[in-house]
Amino acid sequence: MTHTSMESPTPLEEGTLRVGMYDEELKKFNWNMLLLQLILFGVGMWNLISATGVEDKSMGLYKTQLLWFGIGMALTALILLMHYSVLSRLAYFIYFANVLLLAAVLVAGKANLGAKRWIGFGGLRIQPSEFMKISMVICLAKYFESDRTVGGYGLKDLLLPTLLVAVPAALIMLQPDLGTAMIILLTYGSMMLFIRIKPQTLVILATIAAVTMPLAYKFALKPYQRQRIITFIDPMSDPKGSGYNSIQSMIAVGSGQLFGKGYRQGTQSQLNFLPEHHTDFIFSVFSEEHGFIGCILLVVLYMIFLFNGLSVAYQSHDKFGVLLTLGIMTIFFWHIFVNMGMVMGMLPIVGVPLPFLSYGGSSLMTSIIGVAIITNVANKKFMF
């Protein structure tokens, strides 16, 4: 009996075909975001070791950060195995589960420095407000995935998504955590730019924002939060109190001058003048040690990271993938913008970490999960 060319390949040939297909897929795989994440994390670890070199001794902060990174990369592998459309089906479940965690924090959370933001699971502590940023973006991307209106969204159409944002923002404010609540609101506002909203609705929303901001300052902010805004305008009004952090941070940034003082040579951090220099003020440490040139290089690295994420959104072929990627990238943008502005005295002091550089397990995990989702969109955009 003769064999024809239409005959099925032998098991050996099937295996060879499979390997060839995997090799081809691997060559097409978009590694950009993962590689940029690795570079930024490497810079962050290098900087964190310097920032904690004196008091760490070592308290193991960099080891803990490495542990969280390892957990994050394991989650990345799991996220890349699925299609990102699964997130669309689970969007509301993920959102409400995270809201329940935020409520649980207020009841049984662990307090630290006057704030109740963490909840323990075994030997680990997580900060649900950090994960709420991603959960909210997934939920909003799901809501706006299909066009529900003709001619654009009106006020009535935006009531539900606004409520979906307002509930977690209010729960986070109660912790209190002004910085994270602000990032959530800014992210929501940014995502609104990428959907069709009626012009008159935009005018009304702008008017509402203008009216409510002074009211929020008066009634929603706590006294110390209002003091931070006053201190931002005039740090010298209370140089040893509320203005201390801002003044010391600006001294650290300015003293780096053009080329910096050198690795582990920064006096503000090494002599502990700079508070929270391993978390919120980690950029001050970097600025003092590496100067203006080092800061420019770091900003360029972040810009490449942001533009790569936006490129993924631009090339995505479905609305959910576009909104999901844009939402996550706006989280990164606002974190970078607010943190750097804060430490340079251009914005009020709020608790906003710098992605991949600031110490913090929940913050790092949120950033890693965000990159994993974007990488998933980048590599599965043609799979339906």
Side-chain angles (χ1 to χ4, degrees):
M1 184 176 178
T2 59
H3 295 279
T4 67
S5 59
M6 297 297 292
E7 200 170 356
S8 299
T10 64
L12 181 61
E13 289 171 331
E14 285 179 359
T16 305
L17 285 171
R18 245 186 237 108
V19 170
M21 288 170 62
Y22 291 148
D23 286 344
E24 191 64 28
E25 289 297 318
L26 198 60
K27 288 177 183 176
K28 293 180 181 177
F29 193 89
N30 187 334
W31 296 94
N32 293 350
M33 292 299 288
L34 291 176
L35 289 173
L36 287 165
Q37 170 183 261
L38 188 60
I39 294 169
L40 283 166
F41 179 73
V43 172
M45 283 298 298
W46 184 54
N47 195 47
L48 180 64
I49 290 170
S50 173
T52 58
V54 175
E55 76 277 355
D56 198 6
K57 289 188 182 172
S58 98
M59 254 174 3
L61 295 182
Y62 72 92
K63 295 176 184 175
T64 305
Q65 194 81 334
L66 277 172
L67 173 63
W68 280 111
F69 185 77
I71 295 172
M73 294 314 293
L75 275 175
T76 296
L78 290 175
I79 291 170
L80 292 180
L81 287 174
M82 67 179 187
H83 195 285
Y84 64 88
S85 60
V86 172
L87 295 175
S88 177
R89 296 194 289 272
L90 297 175
Y92 296 122
F93 171 78
I94 293 169
Y95 170 84
F96 285 111
N98 212 149
V99 168
L100 287 175
L101 279 178
L102 287 176
V105 167
L106 296 176
V107 177
K110 297 181 181 296
N112 186 30
L113 298 175
K116 191 182 282 188
R117 302 173 186 171
W118 298 267
I119 192 165
F121 289 95
L124 296 175
R125 290 196 318 168
I126 66 165
Q127 190 174 344
S129 59
E130 285 290 335
F131 298 104
M132 191 68 232
K133 300 167 191 173
I134 299 287
S135 300
M136 184 202 69
V137 165
I138 294 171
C139 184
L140 291 175
K142 169 65 176 178
Y143 182 83
F144 292 115
E145 182 179 6
S146 57
D147 286 320
R148 302 164 184 268
T149 62
V150 177
Y153 288 88
L155 275 179
K156 288 183 180 179
D157 305 309
L158 295 175
L159 283 177
L160 180 57
T162 301
L163 184 64
L164 291 171
V165 173
V167 169
L171 289 172
I172 291 168
M173 284 291 290
L174 290 173
Q175 295 180 357
D177 186 354
L178 175 62
T180 304
M182 183 180 68
I183 293 294
I184 282 178
L185 294 174
L186 287 171
T187 301
Y188 176 51
S190 300
M191 289 185 73
M192 293 301 96
L193 300 175
F194 299 102
I195 63 170
R196 263 194 321 176
I197 299 179
K198 294 176 181 177
Q200 60 267 35
T201 303
L202 284 174
V203 173
I204 294 170
L205 290 174
T207 305
I208 292 172
V211 171
T212 55
M213 281 178 68
L215 294 174
Y217 174 82
K218 181 73 175 176
F219 299 107
L221 298 184
K222 294 184 179 293
Y224 78 90
Q225 292 170 334
R226 291 197 293 270
Q227 184 59 44
R228 285 180 177 179
I229 296 174
I230 295 169
T231 303
F232 158 66
I233 298 169
D234 182 14
M236 295 308 295
S237 62
D238 188 12
K240 293 184 179 180
S242 58
Y244 180 82
N245 290 5
S246 180
I247 292 169
Q248 295 302 319
S249 177
M250 287 189 285
I251 290 172
V253 172
S255 64
Q257 298 185 34
L258 189 60
F259 296 105
K261 296 179 178 178
Y263 186 64
R264 303 185 81 163
Q265 300 300 312
T267 53
Q268 291 298 108
S269 59
Q270 300 300 323
L271 298 179
N272 285 328
F273 287 110
L274 185 64
E276 303 299 330
H277 50 264
H278 60 298
T279 53
D280 296 342
F281 292 95
I282 195 72
F283 183 64
S284 303
V285 177
F286 188 89
S287 300
E288 186 179 21
E289 294 185 355
H290 307 290
F292 179 75
I293 300 298
C295 290
I296 289 296
L297 292 174
L298 181 62
V299 169
V300 168
L301 187 56
Y302 272 124
M303 287 178 66
I304 295 170
F305 176 82
L306 292 172
F307 279 121
N308 266 274
L310 293 176
S311 174
V312 172
Y314 179 76
Q315 295 176 40
S316 183
H317 285 189
D318 68 303
K319 193 172 182 181
F320 179 74
V322 171
L323 290 173
L324 184 62
T325 305
L326 287 172
I328 292 172
M329 292 315 299
T330 55
I331 294 173
F332 281 118
F333 169 78
W334 286 117
H335 267 270
I336 296 164
F337 180 83
V338 172
N339 182 277
M340 290 187 174
M342 174 185 77
V343 302
M344 290 188 290
M346 298 170 66
L347 292 172
I349 302 294
V350 289
V352 174
L354 188 60
F356 303 112
L357 267 74
S358 292
Y359 171 79
S362 297
S363 171
L364 179 62
M365 288 283 285
T366 302
S367 297
I368 292 173
I369 290 169
V371 170
I373 292 172
I374 293 171
T375 303
N376 191 302
V377 175
N379 289 288
K380 294 184 171 66
K381 60 192 174 193
F382 301 115
M383 295 171 59
F384 295 97

